[in-house]
Amino acid sequence: MKVGVLTGGGDCPGLNAVIRAVARRSFVRGHEVVGIREGWRGLVEGRLEPLGNREINGLLPRGGTILGTSRTNPYKVDGGVERVLETFEREGLDALVAIGGEDTLGVATGLYAEHDFPVVGVPKTIDNDLSATDYTFGFDTAVFICTEAIDRLHTTAESHNRVMVVEVMGRHTGWIAVMSGIAGGADMILIPEQPVSIDDACKEIQRRHARGKDFSIVVVSEGYELGGDDDQAAEVDEFGHIRLSERGVGARLAQEIEQRTGFETRVTVLGHVQRGGSPTPRDRVLATRYGLKAADLVQEGRFGRMAALHGDAIVDVPLEEATSELKTVPDDWFEVARAFFG
Ligand code: F6P
């Protein structure tokens, strides 16, 4: 068999570990493995490169993706889907492993449903917002990075008697904010799923200061809606997502807190640092297990499926289940965080 592999959407730590696992298991079975450059764009434009033992050397701890990535949506490119199918045919590919989040896997779902395209999916995103799997790889690393940042901000916040607002990624869910906030001991966490008014957030901070604490750590997810025109960002990508970082929710929140409480407030926007660097051991292991599972699904000809984590077990689920709805943070997780507010 000739097995193609692509990585699409925002990069995240662990992508290379999946590529390595898919390749290693496929080589053992005598298959050829081909890397597709920059996500779906590589199939639209016919940019592929063979992957051998040399190419997959040293990949396990390496961040980013050796294949490159893009947010290209073939459904939005003139003749895009036809070009994907043509490239696949011309290159003599038998199967595709698509490693991605909601958007990349959404395209895979469409191609499978409409063209019986032989694709299997691997769930990736630091946002952890994909349904049908308990965790996506990349998330643990992002939470680790944010927690470390919160720890560091604690010491400077305490020294200066300041409120520190930390803006983290997560798109329209608050998984990174809640998990890193719990781990880092945040005094207030604002996420899209739990609309708390700025007034209430400020009251919590004041309550904390009233009981003798002179500093506070506030974690806000980039998708949190403060209200007002600034919640609408100008730029939209090919999948229709607005660029949330442009809304500057952290900076606006910090300004409001300072104005309303009189406490000196600073903001730190962690941005793409959350996606960079080496994956945590947990993400390396998860990515490896997903990669092996994807190679097995290919071997068994079970296309239209996605590797998933249920509890501690790697299982497979229909691709469409992963993208059918956004996996938001359940109330009970937020309750754990809320127990330490104020
Ligand atoms: O989906 C991953 C993610 O990092 C989101 O958390 C964030 O909103 C977005 O991608 C940023 O996208 P870009 O890398 O295109 O700025």
Side-chain angles (χ1 to χ4, degrees), residues 5-7 35-43 47-49 65-70:
V5 186
L6 68 77
T7 54
I36 290 148
R37 297 291 314 170
E38 296 172 16
W40 293 111
R41 185 187 291 160
L43 279 179
R47 292 201 287 133
L48 289 76
E49 62 191 24
T65 162
I66 56 160
L67 298 176
T69 186
S70 72

Side-chain angles (χ1 to χ4, degrees), residues 10 71 125-127 169-171 222 243-245 272 275:
R71 295 197 192 277
T125 167
I126 63 163
D127 305 332
M169 285 183 166
R171 219 167 230 170
E222 61 176 0
R243 199 180 294 164
L244 290 166
S245 58
H272 292 80
R275 294 217 314 245

Side-chain angles (χ1 to χ4, degrees), residues 218-265:
V218 178
V219 179
V220 62
S221 186
E222 61 176 0
Y224 184 77
E225 304 242 332
L226 282 181
D229 291 346
D230 290 346
D231 277 342
Q232 314 309 322
E235 219 169 315
V236 174
D237 69 18
E238 284 189 16
F239 288 92
H241 298 297
I242 58 173
R243 199 180 294 164
L244 290 166
S245 58
E246 280 182 10
R247 298 157 68 236
V249 69
R252 287 159 58 212
L253 178 64
Q255 207 177 17
E256 290 282 347
I257 291 174
E258 188 163 287
Q259 266 167 17
R260 289 172 192 230
T261 65
F263 301 135
E264 197 179 14
T265 307

